[in-house]
Amino acid sequence: MSNTAGNGAVLVVGGGISGLTAALEAAEVGNDVFVIDKNPYFGGRVAQLNQYFPKLCPPTCGLEINFKRLKDNRKIRSYSMTTVKSVSGGPGNFTVELETAPRFVNSNCTACGDCAAACTDEIDDPFNFGMRKIKAAYLPHEMAFPRRFVLAKDACSDECLAAVKASCKYNAIDTEMQTETFTLQVSSIIWSTGWNPYEAEKIDNLKFNSSPAIITNMMMERLAADNGPTAGKILRPGDDKEPESFAFVQCAGSRDENHMEHCSYICCMATFKQISYIREQYPEAKIYVFYIDLRTPGKYESFREKFTADENTTFIKGKVADIIAEGDGGVTVVAEDTLSAKKIQQKVDMCVLATGMKPAMEQGEQLGLTVDGNGFIVSEPEKGMISAGCAKAAVDVYSSGQSSTAAALKAIQIGR
């Protein structure tokens, strides 16, 4: 399969908020645009958030508008479950080989849900970080675009596959679907491959797997979200207890030469935002924030001040040395308060690790990209390779939008 487009065609790799913004900006001035994402849906990490700051609005508003613009624009072609295998050529004349993984559900799908009802096997829900089980025939999330089910074929028994296939009156289930490869001819490539949370299990002293009461900040986003595993109620995984106390451990994996040396920039703000989630549900809960430095730059200072004044929130300047799982389901956080030089052992019902932002693109150099010392993609417009959003640096949603608009402006000038 091969696709070609006229002069000035742009490939956008990554369909999160950065990729969608870049694709739309380039297409709306007349360029042909191809946008791909490795997930079975577009929207990236923003789709997994409960709210984003500073206005604390849900991501649905921004994503819905962009999805409508995407559907209405004939200049854009989108491919989900698709990755870049190789890039050859140069500015104005790239040949890109791509690979689309099988969804095992074709375009006949109406998202009616009959396949899920018939499915007898389950998987850990990837959208909710494994905090619940879902059927192996599933819609990735309620607002998924494209609105099409996915079948995790490898998780299904032969009997389950037969039942799923028989249940679909639209003949949308195709268990013989194969991986497809195709090539595109484009003038420029925008890399908006986004970020992954740093793997909490790699941080030995924080004992992530020792207790279900220890979660990551992205897991907290899903717990607080209406379409999350607890329908928006913040409950302790494992026993569904309503927590009366919380600890936040900042810089979990960030600013650490053993893990990631860079500051992930936005984790401090994410913690203040998540304190607002807790306050909405548990006004009297005790909150303890263990930090190295609190970084809330520029326009976010006023947001920070509101929560630092909270009488039930204690800020402890000190790096956490250990987290001990307790028999009652809670944990004890062990740290040294560097301001008082005292050792602290704080028992809490639930602990949130503010894990850092790790660049999602891992094979950048193999594809001809230049990456910096932290793995972020260096933007090189003169080479026809432009990075945007969190592929370029750890930034917030607002800054991602600015970065992506700038990337589109650069991309449309190449090959003209």
Side-chain angles (χ1 to χ4, degrees):
M1 176 179 169
S2 178
N3 277 283
T4 59
N7 222 16
V10 180
L11 170 64
V12 179
V13 183
I17 195 70
S18 296
L20 292 172
T21 301
L24 289 162
E25 296 290 352
E28 287 176 358
V29 293
N31 290 67
D32 288 308
V33 176
F34 305 95
V35 58
I36 69 170
D37 199 281
K38 66 182 178 182
N39 289 315
Y41 60 90
F42 290 87
R45 292 287 170 210
V46 167
Q48 290 177 296
L49 298 179
N50 175 42
Q51 296 174 345
Y52 48 74
F53 42 74
K55 292 183 179 178
L56 298 184
C57 52
T60 46
C61 49
L63 288 176
E64 271 183 339
I65 292 165
N66 280 336
F67 292 152
K68 184 178 188 308
R69 291 168 67 195
L70 193 72
K71 285 188 281 190
D72 291 345
N73 197 310
R74 290 179 165 270
K75 286 285 185 179
I76 303 176
R77 274 165 276 185
S78 59
Y79 303 87
S80 59
M81 300 184 73
T82 300
T83 53
V84 175
K85 303 310 291 180
S86 67
V87 178
S88 58
N93 188 27
F94 286 109
T95 298
V96 186
E97 183 183 9
L98 299 108
E99 183 175 279
T100 300
R103 182 186 282 264
F104 302 112
V105 178
N106 64 35
S107 58
N108 293 344
C109 179
T110 64
C112 68
D114 286 354
C115 58
C119 183
T120 54
D121 292 317
E122 292 185 326
I123 60 169
D124 291 331
D125 182 359
F127 191 75
N128 284 295
F129 300 97
M131 287 191 287
R132 69 175 173 187
K133 295 282 189 181
I134 56 171
K135 294 291 187 74
Y138 64 99
L139 190 67
H141 63 94
E142 288 80 349
M143 209 187 121
F145 174 84
R147 191 168 180 78
R148 191 191 302 179
F149 273 63
V150 185
L151 177 62
K153 180 183 173 182
D154 290 348
C156 295
S157 65
D158 290 342
E159 293 79 10
C160 175
L161 290 175
V164 167
K165 195 161 187 174
S167 74
C168 183
K169 51 184 169 288
Y170 303 103
N171 294 317
I173 306 299
D174 181 359
T175 57
E176 303 305 312
M177 193 176 280
Q178 301 292 313
T179 297
E180 290 187 11
T181 59
F182 62 104
T183 58
L184 296 175
Q185 304 294 133
V186 296
S187 291
S188 58
I189 305 174
I190 295 174
W191 300 89
S192 51
T193 44
W195 64 281
N196 289 328
Y198 188 73
E199 299 93 336
E201 59 272 14
K202 288 184 177 179
I203 314 166
D204 292 341
N205 61 300
L206 299 184
K207 310 280 183 61
F208 176 62
N209 289 324
S210 68
S211 168
I214 307 172
I215 64 170
T216 68
N217 46 5
M218 279 302 296
M219 292 167 75
M220 177 61 119
E221 288 292 321
R222 298 309 309 145
L223 285 176
D226 289 343
N227 66 342
T230 54
K233 187 69 175 171
I234 299 171
L235 302 172
R236 184 166 69 191
D239 61 6
D240 288 340
K241 172 184 166 64
E242 294 189 0
E244 295 173 32
S245 55
F246 296 81
F248 285 88
V249 179
Q250 299 306 109
C251 299
S254 295
R255 301 176 66 189
D256 187 331
E257 62 184 15
N258 297 312
H259 300 285
M260 297 189 301
E261 291 186 353
H262 66 274
C263 169
S264 292
Y265 171 70
I266 219 64
C267 311
C268 291
M269 278 298 299
T271 289
F272 284 112
K273 176 184 66 167
Q274 290 176 1
I275 291 172
S276 79
Y277 301 167
I278 294 168
R279 281 289 162 258
E280 198 170 289
Q281 296 187 27
Y282 305 112
E284 303 303 317
K286 299 293 184 185
I287 300 171
Y288 305 88
V289 181
F290 294 84
Y291 69 97
I292 301 173
D293 298 293
L294 290 174
R295 296 182 170 180
T296 51
K299 58 185 178 291
Y300 296 137
E301 282 294 331
S302 58
F303 190 90
R304 162 186 169 167
E305 286 169 4
K306 174 182 175 183
F307 295 104
T308 48
D310 184 318
E311 62 181 18
N312 281 321
T313 303
T314 303
F315 293 85
I316 300 142
K317 186 176 174 67
K319 200 160 185 178
V320 171
D322 195 10
I323 301 177
I324 302 163
E326 302 291 357
D328 65 356
V331 296
T332 296
V333 180
V334 180
E336 182 181 356
D337 185 337
T338 57
L339 299 181
S340 67
K342 292 180 180 177
K343 188 175 182 180
I344 291 178
Q345 294 194 352
Q346 184 60 57
K347 172 88 163 41
V348 291
D349 288 333
M350 199 162 149
C351 181
V352 183
L353 307 181
T355 46
M357 299 168 74
K358 172 184 171 184
M361 170 60 80
E362 293 181 347
Q363 68 274 29
E365 290 172 323
Q366 299 166 31
L367 296 171
L369 297 167
T370 301
V371 298
D372 67 17
N374 295 312
F376 293 102
I377 300 168
V378 177
S379 203
E380 297 179 291
E382 68 281 0
K383 294 183 180 179
M385 303 280 205
I386 303 141
S387 57
C390 291
K392 186 176 185 179
V395 292
D396 59 7
V397 175
Y398 177 79
S399 301
S400 289
Q402 292 180 318
S403 166
S404 303
T405 300
L409 285 170
K410 289 174 182 174
I412 63 177
Q413 295 175 58
I414 297 166
R416 285 183 178 266

